[in-house]
């Protein structure tokens, strides 16, 4: 799914998809979705708002033992490196990847300042213009993430 979800959508289906996809992707790549990695992804998949590392620690502590922050950071590193989660720089927080695509050449995130929901949008539309701009400036891009802040359609209609 890309774009903003309707406020009354079935989020359980979204969350289940995220975990199923992660499992499938890790298997196909021979990467290990360990228990602690899966738990962190599960916390991220609970909503469409970015979650900070310490909020993740707190959320996991509710379900049992309080994990060491370093465990959570390591799990986040793994999830981000596999494209299963993304870091939202402007929020210093993380979201589960909801697009279901493996391609993340240029990632763009629309961040609603009212409801806090982050939507990941098709990066393909953006990767060419970004590549052209870099080329014109003889700049060799290593990563490109675009974060756009504003009001989502759900909030504008409300
Ligand atoms: Zn959802
Ligand atoms: Zn993604
Ligand atoms: Zn909104």
């Amino acid at each position: 799914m890309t774009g903003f979800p309707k406020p009354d959508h079935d989020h359980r289906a979204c969350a289940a998809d995220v975990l199923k996809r992660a499992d499938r992707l890790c298997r196909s790549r021979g990467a290990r979705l360990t228990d602690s990695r899966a738990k962190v992804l599960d916390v991220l998949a609970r909503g469409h708002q970015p979650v900070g590392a310490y909020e993740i620690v707190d959320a996991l502590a509710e379900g049992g033992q309080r994990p060491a922050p370093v465990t959570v950071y390591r799990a986040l590193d793994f999830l981000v490196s596999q494209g299963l989660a993304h870091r939202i720089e402007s929020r210093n927080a993380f979201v589960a990847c909801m697009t279901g695509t493996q391609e993340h050449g240029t990632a763009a995130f629309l961040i609603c300042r009212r409801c806090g929901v982050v939507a990941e949008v098709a990066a393909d539309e953006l990767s060419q213009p970004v590549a052209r701009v870099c080329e014109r400036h003889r700049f060799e891009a290593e990563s490109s993430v675009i974060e756009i802040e504003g009001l989502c359609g759900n909030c504008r209609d409300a």
Side-chain angles (χ1 to χ4, degrees):
M1 187 210 70
T2 70
F4 285 90
K6 289 268 166 275
D8 58 355
H9 76 291
D10 177 11
H11 184 69
R12 267 187 313 194
C14 285
D17 274 356
V18 166
L19 292 160
K20 247 185 286 167
R21 212 157 47 222
D23 191 52
R24 205 183 324 122
L25 203 76
C26 286
R27 258 176 233 272
S28 75
R29 290 175 180 166
R32 285 209 323 132
L33 189 65
T34 58
D35 196 41
S36 66
R37 290 165 175 173
K39 278 185 184 159
V40 169
L41 186 60
D42 179 64
V43 171
L44 294 181
R46 287 178 195 171
H48 293 271
Q49 285 96 345
V51 189
Y54 279 88
E55 286 174 77
I56 297 172
V57 171
D58 287 343
L60 292 174
E62 272 171 36
Q65 235 189 358
R66 192 172 187 81
V70 64
T71 321
V72 169
Y73 276 112
R74 281 205 200 113
L76 285 167
D77 279 348
F78 171 83
L79 295 170
V80 169
S81 72
Q82 296 292 325
L84 298 171
H86 302 297
R87 184 187 159 85
I88 305 299
E89 294 289 341
S90 62
R91 293 289 190 278
N92 192 19
F94 300 83
V95 289
C97 179
M98 296 282 178
T99 65
T101 57
Q102 302 180 23
E103 283 306 314
H104 285 100
T106 298
F109 299 95
L110 308 180
I111 305 165
C112 179
R113 62 175 160 78
R114 189 166 295 166
C115 64
V117 168
V118 171
E120 185 175 343
V121 293
D124 307 353
E125 304 164 46
L126 295 163
S127 43
Q128 282 205 346
V130 169
R132 270 200 302 273
V133 170
C134 292
E135 206 176 280
R136 198 185 317 140
H137 295 280
R138 300 190 56 244
F139 184 80
E140 192 182 321
E142 284 162 0
S143 72
S144 64
V145 177
I146 300 168
E147 295 184 12
I148 304 171
E149 184 154 326
L151 271 183
C152 79
N154 298 325
C155 290
R156 291 175 61 198
D157 292 343

